[in-house]
Amino acid sequence: MKLEEEDHHPSKVRLFGVGLGSSLNDPCGGHEPSTDLYLWDPTWDYSSIWKIKKRLAASDLGELSRLLMPKEAVRKHVMSYLDDKLAKMVDSKEGLPVTVVDRDTCNLHELTFKHWNSGDFYVLNGGWRPKFVVRRGLKENDEIGLYLDWDWKTANYIFKFSVLQRAK
């Protein structure tokens, strides 16, 4: 379908929700009163929010309890948004503590986001296996998605997570 310029006119944008917010207090939104305003554009591909997509490998599911993240996607869609202080924390031995919201189950989990210089990898660890692999029953070749979001109520970056497709 070819979209004409008039299809993007503001009159074509529809109100999606008023007064329903998403925060760490209400991770899936829709239950906590808010002054947030959301717009819905019928031409927008909402599946594009998942900026980091990965088919899980055996190494993501094992006893090392860490998710290896695609470095180019992380550099483009995560690191480019972090200020110098947060970027240094990612590069530190301790890493950056982050909240990961499972959008499928509305659960919050605290993990550690870090850069391993030895192999130039970005990882989520600090409980990845029990909090996601075991709890969600993740298998090799499942496709997952992540994106970085901003929680206005806590003024912190958070990761959003979803299982996009189960392995066949």
Coordinates of all heavy atoms in Angstrom, one line a residue, residues 79-111:
M79 N 23.7 2.4 23.8 CA 24.9 3.2 24.2 C 24.9 4.6 23.7 O 25.3 5.5 24.4 CB 26.2 2.5 23.7 CG 26.4 1.1 24.4 SD 26.4 1.1 26.2 CE 27.8 2.1 26.6
S80 N 24.3 4.8 22.5 CA 24.2 6.2 22.0 C 23.3 7.1 22.8 O 23.4 8.3 22.7 CB 23.7 6.2 20.5 OG 22.4 5.7 20.5
Y81 N 22.5 6.5 23.7 CA 21.6 7.3 24.5 C 22.1 7.6 25.9 O 21.6 8.4 26.6 CB 20.2 6.7 24.6 CG 19.5 6.7 23.3 CD1 19.5 5.6 22.4 CD2 18.7 7.8 22.9 CE1 18.9 5.6 21.2 CE2 18.1 7.8 21.7 CZ 18.2 6.7 20.8 OH 17.5 6.7 19.6
L82 N 23.1 6.8 26.3 CA 23.6 6.9 27.7 C 24.6 8.1 27.8 O 25.4 8.3 26.9 CB 24.3 5.6 28.1 CG 23.4 4.3 28.1 CD1 24.2 3.2 28.6 CD2 22.1 4.5 28.9
D83 N 24.5 8.8 28.9 CA 25.5 9.8 29.2 C 26.8 9.2 29.6 O 26.9 8.0 29.7 CB 25.0 10.8 30.2 CG 24.8 10.2 31.6 OD1 25.4 9.2 31.9 OD2 24.0 10.8 32.4
D84 N 27.9 10.0 29.7 CA 29.2 9.5 29.9 C 29.3 8.7 31.3 O 30.0 7.7 31.3 CB 30.2 10.6 30.0 CG 30.5 11.2 28.6 OD1 30.2 10.5 27.6 OD2 31.0 12.3 28.5
K85 N 28.6 9.2 32.3 CA 28.6 8.5 33.6 C 28.0 7.1 33.5 O 28.6 6.1 33.9 CB 27.8 9.3 34.6 CG 27.8 8.6 36.0 CD 26.9 9.5 36.9 CE 26.8 8.7 38.2 NZ 25.8 9.4 39.1
L86 N 26.9 6.9 32.8 CA 26.3 5.6 32.7 C 27.1 4.7 31.7 O 27.2 3.5 32.0 CB 24.8 5.7 32.2 CG 23.9 6.4 33.1 CD1 22.5 6.5 32.5 CD2 23.8 5.7 34.4
A87 N 27.7 5.3 30.7 CA 28.5 4.5 29.7 C 29.7 4.0 30.5 O 30.1 2.8 30.2 CB 28.9 5.3 28.6
K88 N 30.3 4.7 31.4 CA 31.5 4.3 32.1 C 31.1 3.1 33.1 O 31.8 2.2 33.3 CB 32.1 5.4 32.9 CG 32.9 6.4 32.0 CD 33.5 7.5 32.8 CE 34.2 8.4 31.8 NZ 34.7 9.7 32.5
M89 N 29.9 3.2 33.6 CA 29.4 2.1 34.5 C 29.2 0.8 33.7 O 29.5 -0.2 34.2 CB 28.1 2.5 35.2 CG 28.3 3.6 36.2 SD 26.7 4.1 37.0 CE 26.4 2.7 38.0
V90 N 28.7 0.9 32.5 CA 28.6 -0.2 31.6 C 29.9 -0.9 31.4 O 30.1 -2.1 31.3 CB 27.9 0.1 30.3 CG1 27.9 -1.0 29.3 CG2 26.5 0.6 30.5
D91 N 31.0 0.0 31.2 CA 32.3 -0.5 30.9 C 33.1 -1.0 32.1 O 34.1 -1.6 32.0 CB 33.1 0.6 30.2 CG 32.8 0.7 28.7 OD1 32.5 -0.3 28.1 OD2 33.0 1.8 28.2
S92 N 32.5 -0.7 33.3 CA 33.2 -1.1 34.6 C 33.1 -2.6 34.9 O 32.2 -3.2 34.3 CB 32.7 -0.3 35.7 OG 31.4 -0.7 36.1
K93 N 33.9 -3.0 35.8 CA 33.8 -4.4 36.2 C 32.4 -4.8 36.8 O 31.9 -5.9 36.6 CB 34.9 -4.7 37.2 CG 35.0 -6.1 37.7 CD 36.1 -6.4 38.6 CE 36.1 -7.8 39.1 NZ 37.2 -8.1 40.1
E94 N 31.9 -3.8 37.5 CA 30.6 -4.1 38.2 C 29.4 -4.0 37.2 O 28.4 -4.6 37.4 CB 30.4 -3.1 39.3 CG 31.3 -3.2 40.5 CD 32.7 -2.6 40.1 OE1 32.8 -1.7 39.3 OE2 33.7 -3.0 40.8
G95 N 29.5 -3.2 36.2 CA 28.4 -3.0 35.2 C 27.4 -2.0 35.7 O 27.5 -1.4 36.8
L96 N 26.4 -1.8 35.0 CA 25.3 -0.9 35.3 C 24.1 -1.7 35.7 O 23.5 -2.5 34.9 CB 24.9 -0.1 34.0 CG 23.7 0.9 34.1 CD1 24.1 2.0 35.1 CD2 23.4 1.4 32.8
P97 N 23.6 -1.5 37.0 CA 22.4 -2.2 37.4 C 21.2 -1.6 36.6 O 21.1 -0.4 36.4 CB 22.2 -1.8 38.8 CG 23.5 -1.3 39.3 CD 24.2 -0.7 38.0
V98 N 20.4 -2.5 36.0 CA 19.2 -2.1 35.2 C 18.0 -2.9 35.6 O 18.1 -4.0 36.0 CB 19.5 -2.2 33.7 CG1 20.6 -1.3 33.2 CG2 19.8 -3.7 33.3
T99 N 16.9 -2.3 35.4 CA 15.6 -3.0 35.5 C 15.2 -3.4 34.1 O 15.3 -2.7 33.1 CB 14.5 -2.0 36.1 OG1 14.9 -1.6 37.4 CG2 13.2 -2.7 36.2
V100 N 14.8 -4.7 34.0 CA 14.3 -5.2 32.8 C 12.8 -5.6 33.0 O 12.5 -6.4 33.9 CB 15.1 -6.5 32.3 CG1 14.5 -7.0 31.0 CG2 16.5 -6.2 32.2
V101 N 11.9 -5.0 32.2 CA 10.5 -5.3 32.3 C 10.1 -6.3 31.3 O 10.3 -6.1 30.1 CB 9.7 -4.0 32.0 CG1 8.2 -4.2 32.1 CG2 10.1 -2.9 33.0
D102 N 9.6 -7.4 31.7 CA 9.1 -8.4 30.8 C 7.7 -8.0 30.4 O 6.7 -8.1 31.2 CB 9.0 -9.8 31.5 CG 8.6 -10.9 30.6 OD1 7.9 -10.7 29.6 OD2 9.1 -12.1 30.9
R103 N 7.5 -7.5 29.2 CA 6.3 -7.0 28.7 C 5.2 -8.1 28.5 O 4.0 -7.8 28.5 CB 6.5 -6.2 27.4 CG 7.3 -5.0 27.5 CD 6.6 -3.9 28.2 NE 5.4 -3.5 27.5 CZ 4.4 -2.7 28.0 NH1 4.5 -2.2 29.2 NH2 3.4 -2.4 27.3
D104 N 5.6 -9.3 28.4 CA 4.7 -10.4 28.2 C 4.0 -10.8 29.5 O 2.9 -11.2 29.5 CB 5.4 -11.6 27.6 CG 6.1 -11.3 26.3 OD1 5.6 -10.5 25.5 OD2 7.1 -12.0 26.0
T105 N 4.7 -10.7 30.6 CA 4.2 -11.1 31.9 C 4.0 -10.0 32.9 O 3.6 -10.3 34.0 CB 5.1 -12.2 32.5 OG1 6.4 -11.6 32.8 CG2 5.3 -13.4 31.6
C106 N 4.5 -8.8 32.6 CA 4.4 -7.7 33.5 C 5.3 -7.8 34.7 O 4.9 -7.3 35.8 CB 3.0 -7.3 33.8 SG 2.0 -6.9 32.4
N107 N 6.4 -8.6 34.6 CA 7.3 -8.8 35.8 C 8.5 -7.8 35.6 O 8.9 -7.6 34.5 CB 7.8 -10.2 35.8 CG 6.7 -11.1 36.3 OD1 5.9 -10.8 37.1 ND2 6.6 -12.3 35.6
L108 N 9.0 -7.4 36.7 CA 10.2 -6.6 36.8 C 11.4 -7.4 37.3 O 11.2 -8.1 38.3 CB 10.0 -5.4 37.7 CG 8.9 -4.4 37.4 CD1 8.8 -3.4 38.5 CD2 9.1 -3.7 36.1
H109 N 12.5 -7.2 36.7 CA 13.7 -8.0 37.2 C 14.9 -7.0 37.2 O 15.1 -6.2 36.2 CB 14.0 -9.2 36.3 CG 12.8 -10.1 36.2 ND1 12.6 -11.0 37.2 CD2 11.8 -10.2 35.3 CE1 11.5 -11.7 36.9 NE2 11.0 -11.2 35.7
E110 N 15.8 -7.2 38.2 CA 17.0 -6.4 38.2 C 18.1 -7.2 37.7 O 18.4 -8.4 38.2 CB 17.3 -6.0 39.7 CG 16.2 -5.1 40.3 CD 15.9 -3.8 39.6 OE1 16.9 -3.2 39.1 OE2 14.7 -3.5 39.4
L111 N 18.8 -6.8 36.7 CA 20.0 -7.4 36.1 C 21.1 -6.4 36.0 O 21.0 -5.3 36.4 CB 19.6 -8.0 34.7 CG 18.5 -9.0 34.6 CD1 18.3 -9.4 33.1 CD2 18.9 -10.3 35.3

